[in-house]
Amino acid sequence: DAAAVPPSAPAAPRAAAHLYPDADREAALLHRAATSSPLAVDRLRHLCDVIGPRLSGSAGLERAVAWAERTLREDGLEVRLQPVMVPRWVRGEESLELVAPRRARLPLLGLGNSVGTPPDGITAEVVVCRDFDELAAQADRVPGRIVLFDAAMPPYDPDRGAGYGPTVVYRTAGASRAAALGAVGCLVRSVTATSLATPHTGMLRYESGKPQIPAAAVTTEDADMLRRLTEAGETVAVTLRMDARFEEDAPSANVIADIPGRELPDEVVLISAHLDSWDVGQGAHDDGGSCVAVMTAMTLLREAFGPSRRTIRAVLFTNEENGLRGSRDYINGHSGEIAGYQVAIEADSGTYRPLGFTAPAANDEASTRVRRRIERLAAHLAPFGAGRLRDGGGGADIGPMAAFGVPLLGLDVEGDRYFDIHHTHADTFDKVDPEDLRACTWALAAAARLLAEMPERLIAE
């Protein structure tokens, strides 16, 4: 609180760092409210245990949409649903059996959007490669075989992060690259550095004009074993069975809730997460915890302050995991107003302890000006451990808003455990620390309030 600064202290530099005079006091008020509230934990328990997994097109997702709308409306917020037609991919029954040099059932998860196999499955020898260069070097062995991409994700590094991006490319693009050389199926090493025989699913993308072959993830342990067998000169063969298929698109919706601004209602501060999840586990960290943090932040903001200078909007996007249609339809439906937004913030990295935000890098005069204002926000969050800024931006749902000139932020949390359970049966309520969840709720509420209440626009000259 600026009023607590002793008269003899050099007040000018500290005052210059403020977004506005009451920012420290309001950040502290929200911290007390968020860290003492049971709402976020209670809501996540309901979302995980009562509603469960929420794949696009499923009854679970639509129960979640109805629940989120009802909950936000009961909290006194202005709520509406934006209809979105989403893809309905059905996993069906699936199995993987090692048939040579011995017989064994291997855990697997089909990749999202994959096609299925014939009813009797596909039995074929396995070609193992670490990357696309090794695939090309073995091109003559690929026709009629199943390709395994054994690309190991490196252990988490505090400076470089998880190494997800360079590894996940084999999950998203591997099937088409293998099919182009005549492969009849594709397996990928699960995108994780830590495993207890746990396969990780996720979306693939088929290239236009390439054959579509079934694709699934295997555990890191089995990927290692299959590589060892081939390196020892053994003939390795498996039978892959997948009932995966697309059915007709299904109705869903983005859930949108507003606290209208008292002075500048068109300058929206948007906080967001995605309500859908994969069909395994409970979608607790991805992205249920962030959804309830966004919801509860809105409740706390309305109760603590009422309207801010600008509108604060929560968006719970549908269909982030396997289509991004919620993002597409939101942007198409609001394209006339997005350029006037103050900021868009996305939370989609799990609800571990918040460290700060990812923010646009300072590359020119305009981006440097935005970055310096975000640094002032970070200074108000730093006393509570969330003042770190890293270069980056928002996530997949808000990413297209950058084309409208909107500054994008992402909630930045401790990332060393996220990919241990990402897209697995293990992403369940018990993996979320209640204290961390409440802290994420505070970080989103504080950032939203301070950026909505500051006098100037982030992008103002």
Side-chain angles (χ1 to χ4, degrees), residues 185-233:
C186 178
L187 301 174
V188 297
R189 181 189 183 103
S190 286
V191 187
T192 182
T194 303
S195 176
L196 292 174
T198 306
H200 295 231
T201 190
M203 189 178 76
L204 62 73
R205 295 184 181 88
Y206 289 120
E207 289 184 37
S208 177
K210 301 280 179 68
Q212 296 186 359
I213 59 174
V218 298
T219 68
T220 64
E221 295 90 340
D222 286 337
D224 285 339
M225 177 190 67
L226 295 174
R227 170 170 284 282
R228 290 195 303 270
L229 286 169
T230 58
E231 289 178 344

XYZ file of all heavy atoms in Angstrom, residues 185-233:
357
model
N 0.718 -48.397 -40.483
C 0.335 -47.942 -39.153
C 1.468 -47.158 -38.542
O 2.607 -47.196 -39.029
N 1.151 -46.426 -37.464
C 2.161 -45.580 -36.827
C 2.012 -45.690 -35.314
O 0.900 -45.612 -34.776
C 1.992 -44.124 -37.272
S 3.155 -42.965 -36.493
N 3.113 -45.857 -34.634
C 3.177 -45.781 -33.180
C 4.139 -44.665 -32.804
O 5.121 -44.420 -33.512
C 3.672 -47.107 -32.577
C 2.842 -48.351 -32.889
C 3.548 -49.606 -32.354
C 1.445 -48.233 -32.302
N 3.849 -43.981 -31.707
C 4.752 -42.934 -31.238
C 5.054 -43.161 -29.766
O 4.197 -43.633 -29.004
C 4.163 -41.517 -31.438
C 3.948 -41.227 -32.915
C 2.883 -41.324 -30.648
N 6.273 -42.862 -29.399
C 6.642 -42.854 -27.982
C 5.871 -41.736 -27.297
O 5.809 -40.608 -27.804
C 8.148 -42.604 -27.857
C 8.689 -42.592 -26.435
C 10.137 -42.114 -26.437
N 10.727 -42.141 -25.107
C 11.574 -43.074 -24.668
N 11.932 -44.059 -25.479
N 12.068 -43.026 -23.441
N 5.250 -42.016 -26.167
C 4.474 -40.997 -25.462
C 5.337 -39.781 -25.156
O 6.521 -39.904 -24.823
C 3.908 -41.569 -24.159
O 2.839 -42.448 -24.427
N 4.720 -38.607 -25.285
C 5.452 -37.345 -25.133
C 5.524 -37.007 -23.653
O 4.736 -36.228 -23.107
C 4.786 -36.230 -25.949
C 5.651 -34.971 -25.912
C 4.574 -36.675 -27.389
N 6.492 -37.605 -22.992
C 6.741 -37.398 -21.570
C 8.151 -37.852 -21.270
O 8.690 -38.715 -21.972
C 5.737 -38.174 -20.701
O 5.986 -37.898 -19.317
C 5.850 -39.673 -20.935
N 8.734 -37.278 -20.224
C 10.050 -37.725 -19.785
C 9.953 -38.660 -18.589
O 10.951 -39.256 -18.193
C 10.927 -36.520 -19.423
N 8.765 -38.788 -18.004
C 8.564 -39.608 -16.814
C 7.355 -40.503 -17.030
O 6.295 -40.025 -17.417
C 8.328 -38.727 -15.573
O 9.438 -37.841 -15.402
C 8.149 -39.571 -14.322
N 7.507 -41.797 -16.770
C 6.403 -42.713 -17.020
C 6.394 -43.842 -16.017
O 7.447 -44.320 -15.585
C 6.501 -43.285 -18.441
O 5.490 -44.248 -18.662
N 5.189 -44.261 -15.647
C 4.977 -45.513 -14.924
C 4.071 -46.376 -15.796
O 2.938 -46.681 -15.445
C 4.352 -45.249 -13.553
C 5.246 -44.534 -12.539
C 4.455 -44.201 -11.275
C 6.471 -45.369 -12.194
N 4.590 -46.724 -16.980
C 3.837 -47.503 -17.971
C 2.529 -46.815 -18.337
O 1.486 -47.453 -18.467
C 3.584 -48.921 -17.476
N 2.602 -45.500 -18.518
C 1.419 -44.683 -18.777
C 1.478 -44.106 -20.185
O 2.334 -43.254 -20.466
C 1.335 -43.520 -17.769
O 1.404 -44.037 -16.448
C 0.048 -42.739 -17.940
N 0.596 -44.528 -21.086
C 0.582 -43.912 -22.419
C -0.099 -42.550 -22.393
O -1.002 -42.306 -21.582
C -0.213 -44.921 -23.263
C -1.083 -45.639 -22.281
C -0.359 -45.645 -20.970
N 0.330 -41.666 -23.278
C -0.193 -40.302 -23.394
C -0.826 -40.122 -24.770
O -0.162 -40.326 -25.788
C 0.930 -39.268 -23.259
C 1.579 -39.234 -21.919
N 1.734 -38.062 -21.209
C 2.138 -40.209 -21.150
C 2.345 -38.323 -20.067
N 2.614 -39.621 -20.012
N -2.091 -39.714 -24.808
C -2.731 -39.441 -26.083
C -2.477 -37.991 -26.502
O -1.663 -37.285 -25.923
C -4.246 -39.752 -26.011
O -4.794 -39.686 -27.331
C -4.979 -38.789 -25.102
N -3.198 -37.527 -27.509
C -3.050 -36.185 -28.060
C -3.439 -36.221 -29.521
O -3.637 -37.295 -30.100
N -3.554 -35.046 -30.111
C -4.080 -34.965 -31.463
C -2.997 -35.161 -32.518
O -1.866 -34.715 -32.342
C -4.756 -33.600 -31.683
C -5.524 -33.497 -32.990
S -6.352 -31.909 -33.191
C -4.971 -30.863 -33.631
N -3.364 -35.839 -33.605
C -2.514 -35.861 -34.793
C -3.170 -35.028 -35.884
O -4.358 -34.681 -35.802
C -2.275 -37.292 -35.278
C -3.443 -38.154 -35.741
C -4.007 -37.753 -37.095
C -3.001 -39.620 -35.805
N -2.406 -34.718 -36.891
C -2.923 -33.994 -38.067
C -2.498 -34.756 -39.314
O -1.303 -34.963 -39.548
C -2.380 -32.561 -38.124
C -2.832 -31.681 -36.983
C -2.331 -30.249 -37.156
N -2.743 -29.395 -36.053
C -2.059 -29.231 -34.927
N -0.902 -29.869 -34.769
N -2.505 -28.446 -33.977
N -3.477 -35.152 -40.114
C -3.161 -35.797 -41.385
C -2.909 -34.739 -42.439
O -3.654 -33.764 -42.553
C -4.322 -36.684 -41.829
C -4.515 -37.939 -41.003
C -5.700 -38.175 -40.326
C -3.506 -38.904 -40.933
C -5.887 -39.337 -39.589
C -3.691 -40.063 -40.194
C -4.883 -40.273 -39.523
O -5.057 -41.421 -38.790
N -1.861 -34.947 -43.227
C -1.572 -34.037 -44.328
C -2.516 -34.314 -45.492
O -2.791 -35.476 -45.822
C -0.130 -34.210 -44.800
C 0.914 -33.702 -43.836
C 2.307 -33.820 -44.417
O 2.452 -33.609 -45.652
O 3.242 -34.153 -43.662
N -2.989 -33.244 -46.105
C -3.864 -33.379 -47.257
C -3.150 -34.129 -48.375
O -1.980 -33.866 -48.683
C -4.291 -31.991 -47.754
O -5.086 -32.085 -48.900
N -3.857 -35.083 -48.965
C -3.294 -35.831 -50.080
C -2.450 -37.020 -49.691
O -2.015 -37.786 -50.563
N -2.189 -37.212 -48.404
C -1.416 -38.371 -47.938
C -2.380 -39.447 -47.437
O -3.463 -39.144 -46.929
C -0.470 -37.958 -46.801
C 0.528 -36.874 -47.152
C 1.701 -37.449 -47.915
C 2.712 -36.345 -48.287
N 3.385 -35.786 -47.113
N -2.004 -40.714 -47.543
C -2.850 -41.773 -46.982
C -3.021 -41.571 -45.477
O -2.108 -41.078 -44.801
C -2.062 -43.054 -47.283
C -1.117 -42.691 -48.386
C -0.790 -41.242 -48.192
N -4.179 -41.936 -44.960
C -4.448 -41.841 -43.534
C -4.329 -43.228 -42.922
O -5.073 -44.140 -43.277
C -5.841 -41.256 -43.287
C -5.974 -39.811 -43.778
C -7.304 -39.187 -43.396
O -8.157 -39.815 -42.775
N -7.475 -37.926 -43.760
N -3.382 -43.374 -42.003
C -3.145 -44.661 -41.360
C -3.412 -44.531 -39.864
O -3.292 -43.447 -39.295
C -1.700 -45.157 -41.604
C -0.673 -44.152 -41.076
C -1.476 -45.428 -43.088
C 0.778 -44.637 -41.158
N -3.805 -45.628 -39.196
C -4.073 -45.545 -37.763
C -2.797 -45.264 -36.977
O -1.710 -45.741 -37.348
C -4.658 -46.925 -37.431
C -4.185 -47.815 -38.526
C -4.066 -46.960 -39.747
N -2.963 -44.506 -35.884
C -1.798 -44.098 -35.098
C -2.146 -44.121 -33.619
O -3.258 -43.756 -33.214
C -1.333 -42.702 -35.505
N -1.181 -44.534 -32.805
C -1.396 -44.648 -31.362
C -0.090 -44.384 -30.631
O 1.000 -44.482 -31.203
C -1.927 -46.037 -31.001
N -0.223 -44.041 -29.345
C 0.934 -43.813 -28.486
C 1.188 -45.037 -27.626
O 0.252 -45.658 -27.110
C 0.699 -42.591 -27.603
N 2.468 -45.370 -27.468
C 2.872 -46.444 -26.559
C 3.655 -45.835 -25.408
O 4.078 -44.676 -25.459
C 3.726 -47.506 -27.283
C 2.926 -48.156 -28.397
C 5.029 -46.906 -27.824
N 3.860 -46.586 -24.357
C 4.605 -46.079 -23.211
C 6.078 -45.911 -23.561
O 6.601 -46.548 -24.494
C 4.481 -47.036 -22.013
O 5.171 -48.249 -22.311
C 3.021 -47.328 -21.699
N 6.755 -45.080 -22.788
C 8.196 -44.909 -23.017
C 8.931 -46.224 -22.747
O 9.916 -46.533 -23.428
C 8.758 -43.803 -22.124
O 8.630 -44.161 -20.741
C 8.024 -42.486 -22.351
N 8.441 -46.991 -21.767
C 9.091 -48.263 -21.456
C 9.004 -49.228 -22.635
O 9.995 -49.904 -22.967
C 8.432 -48.902 -20.225
C 8.610 -48.118 -18.927
C 7.513 -47.099 -18.666
O 6.817 -46.703 -19.628
O 7.342 -46.707 -17.502
N 7.829 -49.295 -23.271
C 7.681 -50.222 -24.400
C 8.406 -49.710 -25.635
O 8.917 -50.520 -26.432
C 6.206 -50.458 -24.699
C 5.556 -51.359 -23.656
O 6.286 -52.124 -22.994
O 4.322 -51.283 -23.489
N 8.464 -48.396 -25.815
C 9.256 -47.855 -26.922
C 10.721 -48.246 -26.768
O 11.384 -48.657 -27.740
C 9.102 -46.343 -26.989
N 11.233 -48.135 -25.538
C 12.619 -48.553 -25.283
C 12.800 -50.038 -25.591
O 13.801 -50.447 -26.201
C 12.984 -48.286 -23.821
C 13.219 -46.819 -23.519
O 13.498 -46.052 -24.469
O 13.126 -46.434 -22.332
N 11.841 -50.863 -25.155
C 11.954 -52.305 -25.368
C 11.936 -52.649 -26.854
O 12.754 -53.461 -27.327
C 10.815 -53.035 -24.670
C 10.827 -54.543 -24.896
S 9.340 -55.365 -24.306
C 8.100 -54.707 -25.444
N 11.026 -52.048 -27.607
C 10.956 -52.359 -29.032
C 12.228 -51.935 -29.754
O 12.689 -52.625 -30.675
C 9.723 -51.681 -29.638
C 8.375 -52.189 -29.110
C 7.227 -51.354 -29.679
C 8.169 -53.665 -29.437
N 12.807 -50.805 -29.329
C 14.079 -50.410 -29.929
C 15.170 -51.420 -29.588
O 15.958 -51.820 -30.463
C 14.483 -49.016 -29.472
C 15.926 -48.644 -29.880
C 16.251 -47.195 -29.647
N 15.631 -46.372 -30.680
C 16.104 -46.246 -31.912
N 17.191 -46.908 -32.279
N 15.511 -45.485 -32.786
N 15.243 -51.838 -28.333
C 16.279 -52.805 -27.940
C 16.151 -54.095 -28.750
O 17.154 -54.681 -29.194
C 16.191 -53.114 -26.446
C 16.598 -51.971 -25.544
C 16.834 -52.465 -24.104
N 15.677 -53.136 -23.531
C 14.714 -52.532 -22.841
N 14.759 -51.207 -22.663
N 13.706 -53.230 -22.339
N 14.917 -54.539 -28.941
C 14.719 -55.777 -29.702
C 15.196 -55.632 -31.146
O 15.873 -56.531 -31.678
C 13.238 -56.157 -29.680
C 12.703 -56.722 -28.356
C 11.184 -56.799 -28.383
C 13.309 -58.100 -28.075
N 14.872 -54.534 -31.784
C 15.298 -54.370 -33.175
C 16.807 -54.202 -33.272
O 17.434 -54.726 -34.208
C 14.594 -53.163 -33.820
O 14.882 -51.975 -33.073
C 13.091 -53.366 -33.856
N 17.390 -53.500 -32.290
C 18.848 -53.332 -32.321
C 19.576 -54.645 -32.067
O 20.724 -54.819 -32.487
C 19.270 -52.279 -31.302
C 18.873 -50.859 -31.708
C 19.256 -49.820 -30.676
O 19.547 -50.213 -29.513
O 19.248 -48.615 -31.007
N 18.904 -55.570 -31.388
C 19.496 -56.896 -31.152
C 19.298 -57.835 -32.339
O 19.715 -59.001 -32.286
C 18.893 -57.516 -29.893
N 18.650 -57.346 -33.387
C 18.464 -58.152 -34.582
C 17.216 -59.005 -34.577
O 17.025 -59.841 -35.481
